Amino acid sequence: MIPDSFIQDLLHRIDIVELIDGFVPLKKTGANFAACCPFHSEKSPSFTVSPSKQFYHCFGCGAHGSAIGFLMEYSGAGFVDAIKELAARCGLQLPDDQGQAARHGPQPRALAETMAQAAKFYCEQLKRSETAITYLKERGVSGEVARRFGIGYAPDGWQSLAAAVTDYSAPELQLAGLVIKNEQGRLYDRFRERVMFPIANQKGEVIAFGGRVLGGGEPKYLNSPETPLFEKGRELFGLPQARAAIRDRDTVMVVEGYMDVVALAEHGIGNAVATLGTATTATQVQKLLRQAGRVVFCFDGDDAGRKAAWRALENSLEVLPEQKSIGFVLLPQGEDPDSVVRARGGDAFQRLIDEATPLSDFLLRELARPCDLGSAEGRARLVADARPLLGRMQSPLLRLQLVKRLAEASAFSQTEIERLCGLRPIARPAPARAPRRAPSLLRPLLRLLLQKPELAPRLPLELLPANSIEARAICLLCRTIAAAGAAGLRYPALLERLRGSEDESMLHEAAAELMQQPFAEDEVDAEFAGAVSQLLDGQQKRAFALLQDKVQKCGVGGLSSQEKQQYLQALSARARSRQAS
């Protein structure tokens, strides 16, 4: 677990304007910077970055966050990976990485530099290989697209890579999976006589390769082994190149082959990525769902393609949120995305993606394929096969829809399906009592605390009204600030500590309002004192109303001696107030 103190220090060192400007060109607009939002399509810039508060907010789609949040949303990185990237940018070492170099050999930075050298070498070799160039031309790959994906060529030599590095025996080459040592201790290149497809991480750094053999050698495709830089189940080929198109279409397409991705890009479909020779994992699906509202799996229609699609479905169930969708396209047998797009064109292929089978339809269709729904045994098998899948679903609304359709297909009732599958019935909850709208005073108070967190210890929380969303958010904010101690917290660190809390969106809204309407620094303390005074006045009014209500019901005799004293004091105060006015 990464300590909060490390995250706070990291966010203090990072300049969010400089970070975001490296991905999205920003323009100065008054005290802030602005751009067209990278998270939704728009013509007028509504994406705003605050250099003073070190956060971003889009007034169009509501995207909001710190430097960590931006990397997570923009690149699809996980929380830890985003922190690692930011730490590397400012030269900080993660606490868990202390001593890693001594225990595990070369650092990831050295391995990344080695991979970059190899990628450059392979690109240079492609220019000199007529065989590789002819192969790519025959596959319809232009020079522009080859450069976009960094496609290269590994020559047919045992130690060709030696020309690209200063020390062929350096441990980085073997650890990165570029060089192999045989039983006799001899070193040789892993990739020989292959067209090379670089696999890059979210930063665009080459972390692995896939090589397609030229000629009749085996295996046809050879991938890098897993290394300190590369985990097959976490990465996807073509994701850095596809990121802009994914945002524009709000859809990402997953295919099986590197050449499928390249061929689709050649025909104007730039939002495709490929798995790396293994089944699609939940981690990969989650990464893609962070970047798009819709994921479409497009696989061959043979048995292997169906199995790949089914594995993708199984691993999607646990990470599919209700506001996102997943679809499936199974191509005719003997076809793949490369062959289909070259034969029919980009527009025809795009129509296939637009008309993809939704996950719910695909799930029920595939479950029913081996079942004879005309017999009791077949219907029982359908429910039995669906049971583990329904149990893994994290989307209650989608699960409920599937349960209803499963009940129709199997001749069971919805309640019977839920009982047989061990599901807790998802009943419509009773309408909850809406929280009372807080006085408008609380929203400015929340903004004051965000602008100057050191005011928090001076706020008497007992003065806040009950059953108020803003009051609850203020209490959470004050507790979080108090827990930080004397060091204090700036807004980005507060944002990360409150990530995932029920009041996170309320704080986002207040911070966005503060971005547009900040308090003058020399007026903050006076504004705060006035707000506390109004809270005290509001508390006294509520107390008087309760006492007055009790008097009306029980008379003055129904009050305790302390309540009588409070009631008389309140009456006197109100009388003095009327005289003064």
Side-chain angles (χ1 to χ4, degrees):
M1 184 176 178
I2 300 174
D4 287 336
S5 58
F6 179 85
I7 296 174
Q8 184 175 347
D9 184 28
L10 176 65
L11 290 170
H12 181 72
R13 293 172 184 242
I14 287 290
D15 178 11
I16 194 170
V17 174
E18 181 182 347
L19 172 73
I20 294 179
D21 190 53
F23 297 94
V24 183
L26 297 173
K27 290 186 178 180
K28 192 84 163 63
T29 54
N32 300 315
F33 291 80
C36 286
C37 182
F39 305 120
H40 80 286
S41 298
E42 62 178 5
K43 294 182 180 179
S44 300
S46 59
F47 181 80
T48 307
V49 184
S50 168
S52 60
K53 291 299 178 185
Q54 290 289 298
F55 73 96
Y56 67 88
H57 183 85
C58 177
F59 292 92
C61 69
H64 184 105
S66 66
I68 296 172
F70 178 81
L71 279 185
M72 291 177 66
E73 292 300 320
Y74 188 86
S75 66
F79 180 72
V80 174
D81 288 337
I83 289 177
K84 285 182 178 178
E85 177 172 345
L86 291 176
R89 283 173 176 262
C90 59
L92 286 179
Q93 189 175 33
L94 264 67
D96 291 341
D97 290 342
Q98 299 291 341
Q100 182 180 16
R103 294 193 302 271
H104 299 297
Q107 286 280 358
R109 174 50 50 196
L111 295 180
E113 291 173 357
T114 300
M115 296 299 284
Q117 290 175 336
K120 182 179 179 181
F121 171 74
Y122 293 141
C123 283
E124 291 172 349
Q125 294 302 307
L126 176 62
K127 300 173 186 176
R128 304 174 186 175
S129 172
E130 289 296 330
T131 305
I133 292 173
T134 300
Y135 167 79
L136 291 173
K137 285 183 176 179
E138 290 175 349
R139 298 295 299 267
V141 181
S142 65
E144 178 188 349
V145 169
R147 284 190 295 274
R148 188 194 310 174
F149 288 93
I151 297 173
Y153 172 67
D156 185 20
W158 288 101
Q159 294 187 343
S160 300
L161 200 56
V165 296
T166 55
D167 183 6
Y168 190 72
S169 63
E172 288 89 349
L173 289 169
Q174 296 175 57
L175 194 57
L178 295 169
V179 169
I180 299 172
K181 179 185 284 188
N182 65 15
E183 294 178 357
Q184 291 74 39
R186 186 175 183 274
L187 300 174
Y188 62 95
D189 291 0
R190 177 182 298 274
F191 299 102
R192 303 181 306 281
E193 198 180 8
R194 290 179 179 271
V195 173
M196 300 295 287
F197 298 89
I199 299 162
N201 61 15
Q202 65 265 17
K203 294 181 284 185
E205 297 174 337
V206 177
I207 55 175
F209 291 97
R212 204 280 186 192
V213 72
L214 293 181
E218 290 293 337
K220 184 177 178 181
Y221 279 96
L222 178 65
N223 290 325
S224 293
E226 294 206 342
T227 70
L229 295 178
F230 175 55
E231 292 181 49
K232 293 180 182 179
R234 295 179 62 85
E235 308 297 340
L236 292 143
F237 173 73
L239 184 55
Q241 293 87 350
R243 192 171 288 123
I246 290 171
R247 286 197 299 272
D248 290 343
R249 296 176 183 261
D250 198 30
T251 298
V252 57
M253 186 193 323
V254 183
V255 295
E256 291 185 278
Y258 306 137
M259 278 304 305
D260 293 330
V261 173
V262 172
L264 290 168
E266 193 70 60
H267 287 79
I269 301 176
N271 59 327
V273 300
T275 52
L276 305 175
T278 60
T280 307
T281 65
T283 300
Q284 290 169 328
V285 176
Q286 197 167 36
K287 177 180 285 192
L288 295 175
L289 287 171
R290 289 196 192 108
Q291 301 190 51
R294 181 171 179 252
V295 177
V296 176
F297 295 96
C298 180
F299 296 149
D300 304 354
D302 56 14
D303 289 341
R306 285 187 177 278
K307 288 179 181 178
W310 188 252
R311 288 294 302 278
L313 180 147
E314 290 179 318
N315 288 326
S316 298
L317 295 178
E318 297 178 5
V319 296
L320 176 61
E322 289 171 351
Q323 69 272 26
K324 308 272 185 170
S325 66
I326 289 177
F328 295 85
V329 173
L330 292 182
L331 300 174
Q333 287 211 16
E335 300 277 11
D336 57 30
D338 178 14
S339 64
V340 171
V341 76
R342 286 203 285 165
R344 305 185 197 177
D347 291 342
F349 193 92
Q350 185 60 51
R351 283 194 293 274
L352 292 175
I353 300 305
D354 294 340
E355 298 168 2
T357 303
L359 179 144
S360 56
D361 292 346
F362 184 76
L363 184 150
L364 291 173
R365 187 182 74 194
E366 294 300 302
L367 282 178
R369 278 166 59 87
C371 302
D372 175 13
L373 298 184
S375 67
E377 291 81 0
R379 293 191 294 273
R381 178 181 175 180
L382 177 66
V383 175
D385 289 347
R387 180 188 304 151
L389 300 173
L390 294 173
R392 293 170 64 177
M393 295 188 71
Q394 296 300 306
S395 170
L397 296 180
L398 180 58
R399 192 186 79 178
L400 182 57
Q401 290 293 323
L402 280 168
V403 166
K404 289 182 175 181
R405 291 181 59 184
L406 191 61
E408 293 174 4
S410 62
F412 287 103
S413 68
Q414 178 183 330
T415 303
E416 288 171 330
I417 294 288
E418 291 171 340
R419 178 175 55 80
L420 291 169
C421 294
L423 305 176
R424 294 182 60 187
I426 304 177
R428 183 182 296 274
R433 182 185 176 188
R436 181 175 58 83
R437 290 295 299 170
S440 59
L441 160 70
L442 294 187
R443 195 59 169 244
L445 182 58
L446 186 55
R447 297 202 303 271
L448 283 165
L449 292 171
L450 289 174
Q451 180 160 335
K452 192 173 181 180
E454 52 267 37
L455 293 173
R458 294 161 50 187
L459 178 64
L461 297 180
E462 66 275 8
L463 297 182
L464 297 174
N467 197 28
S468 158
I469 299 174
E470 284 91 346
R472 187 180 67 195
I474 289 172
C475 288
L476 174 63
L477 185 61
C478 289
R479 289 196 300 269
T480 305
I481 294 170
L489 289 176
R490 298 176 71 204
Y491 179 69
L494 274 172
L495 194 60
E496 292 306 324
R497 290 204 184 187
L498 297 173
R499 179 183 291 277
S501 68
E502 62 180 340
D503 296 311
E504 184 180 18
S505 61
M506 172 67 66
L507 295 170
H508 289 184
E509 292 171 8
E513 292 167 6
L514 185 63
M515 181 184 278
Q516 292 183 309
Q517 298 176 332
F519 294 97
E521 289 296 333
D522 58 352
E523 297 177 0
V524 170
D525 288 339
E527 291 278 356
F528 180 76
V532 172
S533 176
Q534 289 184 58
L535 283 176
L536 181 60
D537 184 55
Q539 184 198 47
Q540 291 171 347
K541 288 179 179 177
R542 289 192 297 274
F544 179 75
L546 290 173
L547 290 173
Q548 199 166 38
D549 185 58
K550 193 171 183 179
V551 168
Q552 290 176 351
K553 291 180 180 178
C554 309
V556 177
L559 300 179
S560 67
S561 57
Q562 183 179 4
E563 287 175 333
K564 287 178 182 178
Q565 185 178 0
Q566 292 173 346
Y567 185 60
L568 291 173
Q569 288 174 346
L571 287 173
S572 299
R574 291 170 69 85
R576 287 195 300 271
S577 177
R578 282 195 295 270
Q579 289 173 0
S581 61

